[in-house]
Amino acid sequence: MAVREMSDHECIDCLKKSHVGHLACAKDGFPYIVPIHFAFGFEKLYVFSLPGQKIDWLRANPKACIQVEERSDHTPWRSVVVTGSYRELPDTSEHHNERVHAWDLLQERQLWWEPGSYKPDKNSSAALSPIFFGIVIDTMSGRRML
Ligand SMILES: Cc1cc2nc3c(=O)[nH]c(=O)nc-3n(C[C@H](O)[C@H](O)[C@H](O)COP(=O)(O)OP(=O)(O)OC[C@H]3O[C@@H](n4cnc5c(N)ncnc54)[C@H](O)[C@@H]3O)c2cc1C
């Protein structure tokens, strides 16, 4: 059993085939990490969310990290770590086309939006405005088991 580095091409392949990752952010010296659905779109990873802690923290400090992995009982694992910056896509004419693009990419995954719309003890989530954002990729690294 051995582990080797992945090329950028392999990292992108893994990001295209994966739907779920772990999004890390930090504020005031503290880390915070949650699972999210994402879609790869050229130089960004697109995510849908409702307002909450991760959005507050990413607005305060846009530096982010996403870790993604592929594994099953039958195939060797692959793992990719992306660092980048939070870029919100507000519902304005300037960002309209990119929001539609993000929506198109994300909705290829069935029920991708559901976990992002669940909040414990908050029944009015439908009234909250959904937030689309991208993590603009700065660095990317990958490792895989052989
Ligand atoms: C497989 C999967 C996919 C998901 N996909 C998305 C997605 O695409 N978009 C999205 O917005 N959300 C998604 N979620 C839910 C996400 O992980 C968060 O729970 C949710 O977004 C709320 O995060 P928040 O920072 O707004 O927390 P808030 O509702 O503001 O709550 C903050 C507090 O709740 C705790 N908390 C929040 N989330 C979790 C958690 N997952 N586990 C344990 N404690 C938690 C934190 O410790 C924090 O103190 C997904 C979850 C799973 C399991």
Side-chain angles (χ1 to χ4, degrees):
M1 193 186 302
V3 173
R4 73 158 175 82
E5 303 282 338
M6 287 160 58
S7 66
D8 283 358
H9 181 75
E10 286 175 287
C11 290
I12 288 169
D13 182 63
C14 183
L15 293 173
K16 282 182 175 169
K17 289 178 177 160
S18 304
H19 314 314
V20 175
H22 297 93
L23 169 68
C25 52
K27 187 165 156 278
D28 300 330
F30 288 94
Y32 180 54
I33 184 164
V34 282
I36 42 93
H37 280 87
F38 72 91
F40 176 80
F42 187 47
E43 59 188 11
K44 285 184 192 143
L45 301 181
Y46 290 111
V47 183
F48 162 88
S49 175
L50 288 177
Q53 184 173 327
K54 66 177 166 321
I55 297 296
D56 292 344
W57 285 35
L58 286 162
R59 282 173 175 163
N61 173 14
K63 294 295 177 199
C65 182
I66 294 185
Q67 185 270 337
V68 175
E69 73 204 34
E70 268 183 4
R71 64 191 164 104
S72 77
D73 292 340
H74 310 292
T75 53
W77 56 260
R78 296 198 294 180
S79 170
V80 175
V81 171
V82 167
T83 65
S85 301
Y86 175 79
R87 188 79 50 82
E88 201 161 310
L89 300 172
D91 193 7
T92 61
S93 55
E94 184 193 346
H95 293 97
H96 176 77
N97 289 348
E98 195 172 0
R99 274 174 72 96
V100 171
H101 180 56
W103 172 269
D104 286 345
L105 290 173
L106 283 162
Q107 72 172 356
E108 287 170 12
R109 290 96 166 92
Q110 200 178 15
L111 302 182
W112 59 270
W113 51 271
E114 277 201 344
S117 66
Y118 290 158
K119 296 270 177 182
D121 306 324
K122 291 177 192 164
N123 298 323
S124 60
S125 61
L128 298 172
S129 299
I131 295 163
F132 285 92
F133 62 90
I135 299 297
V136 183
I137 298 174
D138 287 333
T139 69
M140 200 166 49
S141 65
R143 293 188 181 179
R144 69 179 303 159
M145 196 180 84
L146 297 176

